[in-house]
Amino acid sequence: MWKKSESEPLSQSSSSDSQSTGYFAAQEPESQSGDRSVIGSSISIKGEISGDENLLIEGEIEGKIVFHNHNVTIGQKGRIKADIHGKTIAIDGNLEGNLFATEQLIIRQTGIVHGNIVSPRVVLEDGCNFKGNIDMSPKEKASPPLPLISSDDTDADIL
Amino acid sequence: MKTDSEIYIHSSPGLRSLCQRFQDMTTLDLLELGPARGCNIEFWSRFSNSIFVADLRASLPLPPLEEELEYPESEWHRILDLPAGRYFDIILAWDLMNYIEAAALPGFINHLNRYCKQGTILFTMLIDQPQMPEDSCVFRIIDEENLGYETSGSSLRSCPRLQPRVLENTMQGFRTSDRYRLRHGIIEYLFYYIR
């Protein structure tokens, strides 16, 4: 069954790598410089981190990472035991925890992830190591908030 | 990271049949026992928003047991830790059955039973060749009718050549739905679960 004559071999970099194109194409998180903070490889943090700018983590973090409207990247040296909330989350390092990305989740070739993913778009690059659940249902899609009381219905009961 | 792997593409009537069964479904719950591959996740996302990747391949070969003759089911809870109370529509076992010792297969199937519901389909393959690759293949879905077999390295080992009847008897709770013997020495199986 392994004879080349019986089938057509493809190289790893062939066009059959559909995850590198189209809808599931890996998009670089925005703002790779400038408005991005970096937690360096010698830094170790226990607790919750939150902020309003993009974040690159090369250090060690245990706890929770909340950057709802920004991108979070775990660099190759990053070692994380935490849930992460972000817009686009990219993993190059090692993570144990759950990932909640409102736009896109990327696990790169060197990424090792044990945990669950909730994201409308998921990109798993060849060579990555992932164990857990992938939930791509659009639960987190923002819907316009309903007015509690409409202007022409001000005496309606509010339940 | 492996760099010496090659991919061979073969037609897969089992995959085609599986897709036809579920073509109108959009809320399937799927258990992938093989490793995570982006192209497979993309493919299944058409049918399913929820995919559990167990990557059993990373736990093989199973650690040897010292005294017991059969692999206890409790060991499978540790090796294959699946979410309690979840019942999958599709289980993708690929060629993994060929790499699990015969004594461990009943416990494996009993363990999977806990995560099945009426009609769950399990897709697996037997290798019917004297030899097989040292490690289980990684499968890439090319399209609804074709699978890519990704082998790592050229070393081979003897194949258990599990006989179809033996496998079918081992599949406690399952019945054979489809069976396809392919020219390259693979028998594809679709089993369905009866509660």
Side-chain angles (χ1 to χ4, degrees):
Chain A
M1 75 196 218
W2 320 111
K3 291 176 187 171
K4 291 184 183 182
S5 59
E6 293 176 353
S7 56
E8 180 189 352
L10 293 176
S11 73
Q12 282 282 52
S13 59
S14 76
S15 59
S16 69
D17 286 342
S18 57
Q19 65 270 36
S20 62
T21 58
Y23 180 76
F24 284 81
Q27 293 172 1
E28 289 296 323
E30 297 164 5
S31 309
Q32 291 300 316
S33 60
D35 61 343
R36 181 173 70 171
S37 294
V38 178
I39 295 176
S41 59
S42 67
I43 297 174
S44 176
I45 297 172
K46 281 191 180 181
E48 180 172 329
I49 304 172
S50 60
D52 280 325
E53 56 191 302
N54 297 333
L55 179 68
L56 167 65
I57 302 170
E58 292 286 6
E60 191 171 341
I61 293 180
E62 195 175 326
K64 193 173 181 184
I65 300 165
V66 182
F67 283 67
H68 283 298
N69 300 315
H70 295 276
N71 304 325
V72 179
T73 302
I74 309 302
Q76 283 194 26
K77 294 175 186 170
R79 299 166 310 285
I80 312 295
K81 279 189 180 177
D83 291 350
I84 302 180
H85 297 256
K87 192 164 77 172
T88 290
I89 302 172
I91 311 290
D92 285 289
N94 197 322
L95 181 135
E96 197 176 308
N98 301 315
L99 297 162
F100 303 88
T102 52
E103 280 194 1
Q104 182 172 235
L105 185 288
I106 306 164
I107 305 178
R108 299 201 196 283
Q109 215 168 30
T110 55
I112 300 171
V113 175
H114 285 194
N116 301 319
I117 294 170
V118 179
S119 175
R121 297 174 73 188
V122 176
V123 177
L124 304 178
E125 290 190 355
D126 278 1
C128 78
N129 183 326
F130 169 72
K131 269 190 188 184
N133 193 62
I134 299 173
D135 184 350
M136 289 179 282
S137 55
K139 288 172 195 163
E140 302 226 337
K141 273 187 181 172
S143 55
L146 294 171
L148 287 176
I149 306 170
S150 63
S151 58
D152 58 350
D153 194 17
T154 50
D155 55 354
D157 291 335
I158 301 171
L159 302 176
Chain B
M1 188 176 53
K2 292 166 184 169
T3 56
D4 57 347
S5 59
E6 283 187 303
I7 302 170
Y8 300 91
I9 297 174
H10 296 286
S11 64
S12 174
L15 179 64
R16 184 177 59 219
S17 174
L18 187 63
C19 291
Q20 285 170 350
R21 283 164 196 256
F22 294 106
Q23 61 184 345
D24 297 326
M25 304 281 283
T26 54
T27 56
L28 295 175
D29 208 351
L30 191 143
L31 171 59
E32 165 66 272
L33 291 175
R37 280 292 178 270
C39 52
N40 296 356
I41 300 298
E42 179 180 350
F43 180 86
W44 292 115
S45 67
R46 279 182 279 168
F47 303 89
S48 168
N49 281 326
S50 191
I51 300 170
F52 192 92
V53 180
D55 196 2
L56 181 58
R57 185 176 183 264
S59 303
L60 298 176
L62 298 173
L65 289 176
E66 290 181 359
E67 293 179 0
E68 295 171 81
L69 296 175
E70 283 193 4
Y71 232 80
E73 196 182 332
S74 57
E75 273 296 298
W76 279 107
H77 287 285
R78 188 182 57 76
I79 297 165
L80 187 57
D81 186 18
L82 299 173
R86 189 154 163 190
Y87 302 100
F88 296 99
D89 297 291
I90 298 174
I91 298 174
L92 302 171
W94 305 114
D95 66 348
L96 290 167
M97 299 267 195
N98 302 282
Y99 293 85
I100 296 172
E101 289 79 355
L105 277 175
F108 174 59
I109 299 304
N110 282 339
H111 181 56
L112 286 182
N113 273 205
R114 295 172 180 273
Y115 305 94
C116 292
K117 58 188 176 185
Q118 181 78 27
T120 295
I121 299 287
L122 186 146
F123 179 45
T124 193
M125 305 169 180
L126 285 187
I127 302 173
D128 189 17
Q129 294 273 20
Q131 291 190 303
M132 63 183 189
E134 184 69 35
D135 297 314
S136 158
C137 285
V138 176
F139 291 87
R140 289 166 174 273
I141 299 172
I142 307 300
D143 57 36
E144 292 194 2
E145 300 187 358
N146 292 287
L147 275 179
Y149 293 53
E150 182 183 321
T151 61
S152 51
S154 56
S155 52
L156 300 172
R157 58 184 269 194
S158 65
C159 179
R161 300 192 86 162
L162 205 58
Q163 293 303 302
R165 182 168 294 178
V166 174
L167 176 67
E168 289 167 16
N169 289 338
T170 304
M171 298 295 293
Q172 198 69 36
F174 289 91
R175 298 285 180 274
T176 305
S177 170
D178 299 27
R179 183 171 65 188
Y180 306 96
R181 182 177 285 275
L182 308 180
R183 278 183 298 178
H184 58 289
I186 292 283
I187 307 170
E188 289 187 340
Y189 272 96
L190 293 182
F191 290 101
Y192 67 97
Y193 183 74
I194 300 176
R195 190 182 292 272

